[in-house]
Amino acid sequence: MIAFLNGKFVPQEKAVVSVLDRGFLYGDALFEAMLIKQGRPFGWAQHMERLADGIAFLKLTLPYAPDLLRRFALELIKRNGMSDCILRLSLSRGITARGYSPQRPVNPAVVMTLHPLPASVGKGIPRWRVITSTFRLPVNDPLTRFKTANKLPQVLARAEADCAGAQEAILLNTAGYVAEGSTSNVFWVEKDVICTTPLPAGALPGVTRRAVLELCVKTNIPCREKNARPAALRHGLGAFLTLTSMGVVEIESLDGRPLRRSPLAKKLWAAYQSMLLENSGRW
């Protein structure tokens, strides 16, 4: 496997970053994970928009223009012969003097790697067992808008899911409302309306989330953002997740309790799959 590191294509095992890099030391870094379909990145502009917002907020430096970075990504895909996969792009602040101060960084690390898609992708809507995590996310925290390399609440939430034999964990915020999954955005159905958590609740502005909301508008499915407690998912007419690697995933059960199934989840899964096939040549 070939990786991209600071302008060079190298064997993945040789793509090493300094032990003094702040991304390793403090999680002082950003990342994006995007779907590659038929050799092209899905939602590149949206991922770059979110990355640029994070760079501005954290005051990082990206050594390459987005167009050049995209050319590097396409070359990496070509060299690895992986037309359908996940591309992870990481950007660290680099190296500074010892301590928390981010002043005068040097050698920011830019890394891109490719990863296989889950085997079940595209073979019908997946169904996952989900739990409610004991870990909480702060309300109105600006950092939840970006994919920072500091994801310990999500890591620990996923560990809880692993221990419970579940595929995902939902994190609530400090007000007790649903925020997001450890690697996903959360949706549920109330009557004929698709609902999802508002971003200030602690939800990442996911690219797949955004695509599904656009599909709701396109297919005339009412949708809205609202705060909700876990009971809304348990008593609703169905619930699902959205994430880069899988697209749309139906929630089979929450904390061991089976949830209702909604035909709207399957409809949106099918619409999302069709969108990927129709638009992959134009991304």
Side-chain angles (χ1 to χ4, degrees), residues 16 81 100 170 224 268:
V16 295
Y100 287 152
I170 289 175
R224 61 177 297 198
L268 287 168

Side-chain angles (χ1 to χ4, degrees), residues 132-144:
T132 304
S133 173
T134 63
F135 293 92
R136 298 291 182 264
L137 296 175
V139 180
N140 291 317
D141 182 353
L143 286 175
T144 61

Side-chain angles (χ1 to χ4, degrees), residues 1-5 8-16:
M1 187 73 72
I2 302 298
F4 173 89
L5 172 63
K8 297 180 180 180
F9 297 94
V10 298
Q12 190 163 282
E13 61 273 15
K14 295 185 178 180
V16 295

Side-chain angles (χ1 to χ4, degrees), residues 60-82:
L60 303 185
T61 299
L62 180 62
Y64 310 106
D67 287 346
L68 178 57
L69 200 61
R70 189 175 190 274
R71 290 201 294 271
F72 285 144
L74 294 177
E75 178 64 21
L76 182 66
I77 294 164
K78 180 180 178 181
R79 291 191 183 211
N80 283 289
M82 297 178 68

Side-chain angles (χ1 to χ4, degrees), residues 79-136:
R79 291 191 183 211
N80 283 289
M82 297 178 68
S83 59
D84 294 334
C85 60
I86 296 295
L87 182 146
R88 179 183 167 112
L89 164 64
S90 301
L91 168 66
S92 79
R93 189 179 303 276
I95 300 171
T96 63
R98 182 181 178 279
Y100 287 152
S101 174
Q103 291 185 357
R104 294 182 289 279
V106 296
N107 300 326
V110 181
V111 182
M112 286 189 285
T113 54
L114 300 181
H115 308 272
L117 289 172
S120 61
V121 168
K123 299 179 180 179
I125 184 169
R127 303 186 71 214
W128 280 1
R129 297 180 300 278
V130 177
I131 65 164
T132 304
S133 173
T134 63
F135 293 92
R136 298 291 182 264

